[in-house]
Amino acid sequence: RKEVEQDPGPFNVPEGATVAFNCTYSNSASQSFFWYRQDCRKEPKLLMSVYSSGNEDGRFTAQLNRASQYISLLIRDSKLSDSATYLCVVNQAGTALIFGKGTTLSVSS
Amino acid sequence: DAGVTQSPTHLIKTRGQQVTLRCSPKSGHDTVSWYQQALGQGPQFIFQYYEEEERQRGNFPDRFSGHQFPNYSSELNVNALLLGDSALYLCASSQGGSGELFFGEGSRLTVL
């Protein structure tokens, strides 16, 4: 079983749609969780950290369920500029970040 | 404030050759991590350097080696290149081992 697994993509949605990405991780000792965004042929960039209580940043909401070892990212009112690959990332304390394969989102007008 | 810089940006090698990739971390960062990203895959952790020593290593063969210099810059060396080594090699820096990672734009290696 892979350490971090994400929904297979791609997700093709119209502008204004709400889209949700799911991610599961295998190591129950994982302590930090993130969503990174990667544009085509560019480097990954941190989108947001994920906290146990859930957190929101504008149109983006991240949630964590430690019991189920599950992380989600919700994007509301999708924009064309949201088109990218979204990478689920986890790590244990003091260890390297482990990336999922990524889920590609394509928002069309 | 310069971010993470990597060189070269693109390179082509043939099987069996050796390659060295270079990385300068973001100002103020002391930890450098290297990742390999094959097409359509997420970044795979190769190793992490801190205080000029390899602190952690992913599941990569000994053909992959690295170095960190006193100024925190780093090199990734790959010997005896295989076709399967073709990928985007990403360098990421952080302050400490678990802080936010800042990535460079990567070095795209093609092995023929």
Side-chain angles (χ1 to χ4, degrees), chain B residues 89-103:
Chain B
Y89 288 85
L90 293 161
C91 171
S93 72
S94 61
Q95 179 55 43
S98 300
E100 178 184 346
L101 286 184
F102 289 80
F103 283 87

Side-chain angles (χ1 to χ4, degrees), chain B residues 8-15 17-19 21 81 86-87 107-112:
Chain B
T9 55
H10 296 80
L11 68 167
I12 299 173
K13 293 285 188 177
T14 56
R15 280 178 297 176
Q17 285 189 310
Q18 177 266 344
V19 68
L21 308 178
L81 285 168
S86 295
S107 294
R108 192 167 297 278
L109 171 65
T110 301
V111 182
L112 302 177

Side-chain angles (χ1 to χ4, degrees), chain A residues 38 43 46 94-97 101, chain B residues 35 37 40 45 56 98 100 104:
Chain A
Q38 186 172 25
E43 73 276 19
L46 178 65
T95 65
L97 298 188
K101 186 177 177 179
Chain B
Y35 287 81
Q37 187 173 26
F45 175 69
Q56 190 181 358
S98 300
E100 178 184 346

Side-chain angles (χ1 to χ4, degrees), chain A residues 67-79:
Chain A
S68 301
Q69 295 179 205
Y70 168 89
I71 306 161
S72 67
L73 176 68
L74 184 75
I75 304 175
R76 292 181 300 278
D77 189 24
S78 298
K79 311 291 185 191

Side-chain angles (χ1 to χ4, degrees), chain A:
Chain A
R1 181 183 173 188
K2 294 197 173 189
E3 290 192 69
V4 180
E5 296 201 62
Q6 296 187 236
D7 275 349
F11 283 54
N12 299 301
V13 303
E15 276 185 292
T18 295
V19 60
F21 301 139
N22 302 314
C23 170
T24 57
Y25 58 96
S26 61
N27 192 329
S28 60
S30 298
Q31 296 190 1
S32 302
F33 309 90
F34 311 90
W35 284 99
Y36 274 69
R37 169 190 169 132
Q38 186 172 25
D39 292 306
C40 187
R41 302 185 73 81
K42 301 291 254 182
E43 73 276 19
K45 293 183 179 178
L46 178 65
L47 177 66
M48 59 196 302
S49 301
V50 186
Y51 303 116
S52 296
S53 56
N55 49 298
E56 187 173 305
D57 182 1
R59 298 180 293 108
F60 299 82
T61 301
Q63 293 193 317
L64 168 65
N65 184 321
R66 287 186 182 272
S68 301
Q69 295 179 205
Y70 168 89
I71 306 161
S72 67
L73 176 68
L74 184 75
I75 304 175
R76 292 181 300 278
D77 189 24
S78 298
K79 311 291 185 191
L80 293 175
S81 58
D82 294 334
S83 297
T85 296
Y86 291 84
L87 298 159
C88 177
V89 186
V90 307
N91 83 328
Q92 305 166 45
T95 65
L97 298 188
I98 305 300
F99 286 74
K101 186 177 177 179
T103 302
T104 298
L105 171 66
S106 178
V107 181
S108 57
S109 57

